[in-house]
Amino acid sequence: MIESVTLQSRPAPTPSTRVLLVDDHPLVRTGLALLIAEESDMEVCAEAADPRTAQEAALSSRPDIAVIDWTLGQWDAAELIAILHHIRPGMPILVLSMHDEVNQAEKVLRLGAQGYVMKRDASERVIEAIRRTVRGEFSFTERALAVLPDDLQTLVRQHTAPTENGPLASLIGNSTASPDASRKADLVIAPHPDDETFGCGGTIRLVAESGTPIDVVFMTRGELGHEPGSEPSQEERKELASLRMAEAIEACQTLGVRRVSFLDGRDTRLSEQPHLAMDLLTILSTN
C-alpha cells in the first residue's frame, strides 16, 4: 500500500475559510492540514476521526466547510452528512474517498454534498474544490459528471463556473500546481521515516532550491523506532508510526520536498516483502 502527500511551499497564510477535516487516518488529516495551512484564504479549524467527534467539532468550531472521508472505520458518511446539514444548515460538504467517483457521485449528490475528491487526486484537487464549494459551486470531474442522470447533470452544470479547460475540468488549478510540475523529479528512497530527511537533508534542500522537484519514498513507517530493549504493544507501535510519519512530513515540508510517499514495509524485513518492488515500480512510472 502506498500513501502519498504532496507538499507545497507558499507564503504564510491569513486564514478566512474555516475547514473541518473528518478522516479516521491521521496521515490523511496531517497531509490535508499541511496543504490547507499553506493557503492564505483558509485554515483548519478542527479535526475529527469519527462521526461523534465531527458533530462536536461542527458545533464548537463553526466551520465554513466540512471535508469528510466517505468511510470512517465502521461508519460511512451518509448519516454524518445529514447530521451536519442539521447542525450547520447551508454549510457545504466535500467528500473525500478512496472509492471511484463514477460509482459514488450520484449518491453523494443526492445526500446533499457539493463535491467529491478521490484520495489519489486529493493533493491536486482538494484546495480548488474547497474554494469552489464555499463559493456555492459543485466540484465534480467531467468523468464523474458523465455518469449522472440528466437532472443531476443539469443541476451541477448550472452551479459550476467554467474553467479555462471547459466546465468541470479536472480542477488542477494554478493554486496547487508546482511551478516545476513539468520537470522530472529526483527520487530519494529511504528505509525509515528519518533516514533521508535528516541524514542528507542539506543535499535535499540544495537540490530543491535549484528548482528540481524532490520526491521522497519511505519504505517503512517507523513502527519499530522505539528504544532498544523495549517491547512496545501493537497499539504503541501504531502510535509511534503515526508520530514518525508526521515528523517526516514536517521535515520534508521544511526541506522543500514536493511529494512524500510511505510504503507499508515491515522494519528489518524488507527483503521478505516482494510486493514493495511493485509499489516502487508504480511510483517510478509516474515520477
Side-chain angles (χ1 to χ4, degrees), residues 190 193-202 204 216 218 247-248 251-252 255 257:
D194 57 356
D195 290 342
E196 300 310 317
T197 47
F198 301 113
C200 64
I204 290 177
V216 175
F218 295 109
E247 290 173 343
C252 287
L255 294 172
V257 172

Side-chain angles (χ1 to χ4, degrees), residues 150-221:
D150 291 345
D151 61 326
L152 290 182
Q153 282 201 37
T154 300
L155 174 68
V156 173
R157 291 189 185 279
Q158 287 176 342
H159 293 84
T160 304
T163 68
E164 62 183 31
N165 295 318
L168 294 183
S170 64
L171 304 186
I172 303 176
N174 292 334
S175 62
T176 57
S178 165
D180 300 296
S182 63
R183 297 179 60 176
K184 287 290 185 179
D186 283 355
L187 183 65
V188 177
I189 300 175
H192 309 103
D194 57 356
D195 290 342
E196 300 310 317
T197 47
F198 301 113
C200 64
T203 302
I204 290 177
R205 182 68 179 179
L206 287 173
V207 174
E209 289 179 345
S210 75
T212 299
I214 294 282
D215 291 351
V216 175
V217 177
F218 295 109
M219 301 293 291
T220 64
R221 305 182 182 217

Side-chain angles (χ1 to χ4, degrees), residues 227-243:
E227 293 293 330
S230 63
E231 292 295 335
S233 66
Q234 192 64 33
E235 186 61 31
E236 288 173 331
R237 290 185 180 188
K238 183 178 178 180
E239 291 178 0
L240 185 58
S242 295
L243 175 62

Side-chain angles (χ1 to χ4, degrees), residues 20-23 45-63 66 68 72 75-88 91 93:
L20 166 62
L21 296 180
V22 185
D23 197 295
C45 67
E47 297 183 23
D50 57 76
R52 181 186 60 80
T53 309
Q55 295 171 46
E56 295 172 353
L59 285 169
S60 61
S61 301
R62 302 184 65 81
I68 65 176
L72 297 167
W75 309 278
D76 65 32
E79 184 177 356
L80 178 58
I81 289 174
I83 293 172
L84 290 179
H85 279 317
H86 177 73
I87 293 174
R88 297 281 292 164
M91 179 184 69
I93 293 175

